[in-house]
Amino acid sequence: MKESRDNPEASTTSPGYEEGQPQFSIGKMLLWTAVAAGALTVVKVSETNSSIDPIPQVLNLSLYTVVVCFILSLLRAPKSYDVWFPTGMNVFIAVLMVLIVFFLQRPFDDDLAILCALLAIGGLPYGIFLLVLNVRRIKRRDFSISILAYHLGSWLGWTVNWTFVSLGASGAFL
C-alpha cells in the first residue's frame, strides 16, 4: 500500500484498462441488445411448419450473424485487410455463382463438378490463411470477436457453398 502512495504510476486497475475508457457502456449494451433482438426475430420469422426441421432457422441465423459481424468489423477497422480480404472472397463466390448459373449449358457437367470440388478443397488454405490473420491480430493485442466470427462465417460459407455446388453439378442430388 505504501508503494502505491509513493509511486503514482502503480495503480490497482487491471493492466489492459486505460483511464477514461469505460469497460462497459450504454451504447455497447444497446448494440448487443439490438443484435440479440435481431437474431431472435430472424429465428422466429424463419420458423418452419415442423419443429423437427430447424435447418432454415440455423441457416438464416448464421447468415444474419455473418452480416452483423461484417458490419461491426467494418465499423471497427474500415481499412483493415482482415475485413476486406474475406469480403472480396465472398464477392468472388457470388460472381462465380452467377457466371456458373448463366453460362452453364448443361446442368450436370463433370468438368464443372471437378472445378467446384477443387474450390471446396481450396477452402482449406483459405481457412488456414484466415486463422493466420487472427493469430496475427491476437499477437498485436488487437483481437476482435466480430472479426473472428466474420472470418469463421466466411470460411464456412465458402466451404459449404462449393461442396453443395460440386455435389449438385455431379448429379448427386438426383
Side-chain angles (χ1 to χ4, degrees), residues 81-153:
Y81 182 74
D82 296 342
V83 176
W84 288 108
F85 179 72
T87 303
M89 294 298 276
N90 293 340
V91 169
F92 173 72
I93 289 174
V95 169
L96 199 54
M97 289 301 298
V98 167
L99 290 174
I100 287 173
V101 168
F102 284 123
F103 295 112
L104 183 64
Q105 295 170 350
R106 294 181 305 180
F108 306 112
D109 188 5
D110 289 337
D111 294 334
L112 177 65
I114 291 170
L115 172 70
C116 293
L118 289 175
L119 287 170
I121 293 169
L124 184 65
Y126 176 50
I128 291 170
F129 183 72
L130 291 177
L131 182 65
V132 168
L133 286 179
N134 277 296
V135 168
R136 286 178 48 209
R137 284 186 79 80
I138 291 169
K139 285 186 178 180
R140 289 191 315 247
R141 299 195 184 275
D142 191 25
F143 177 74
S144 170
I145 192 72
S146 61
I147 291 177
L148 175 67
Y150 181 53
H151 284 180
L152 181 64

Side-chain angles (χ1 to χ4, degrees), residues 38-78:
L40 289 174
T41 303
V42 166
V43 168
K44 197 64 180 163
V45 167
S46 62
E47 190 172 306
T48 59
N49 294 333
S50 170
S51 62
I52 299 173
D53 186 24
I55 291 176
Q57 294 172 340
V58 171
L59 291 176
N60 287 338
L61 183 61
S62 300
L63 182 63
Y64 171 79
T65 304
V66 170
V67 169
V68 166
C69 288
F70 165 68
I71 292 169
L72 291 175
S73 300
L74 195 60
L75 292 174
R76 177 179 167 85

Side-chain angles (χ1 to χ4, degrees), residues 108 167-168 170-174:
F108 306 112
L167 289 173
S170 67
F173 295 125
L174 290 179

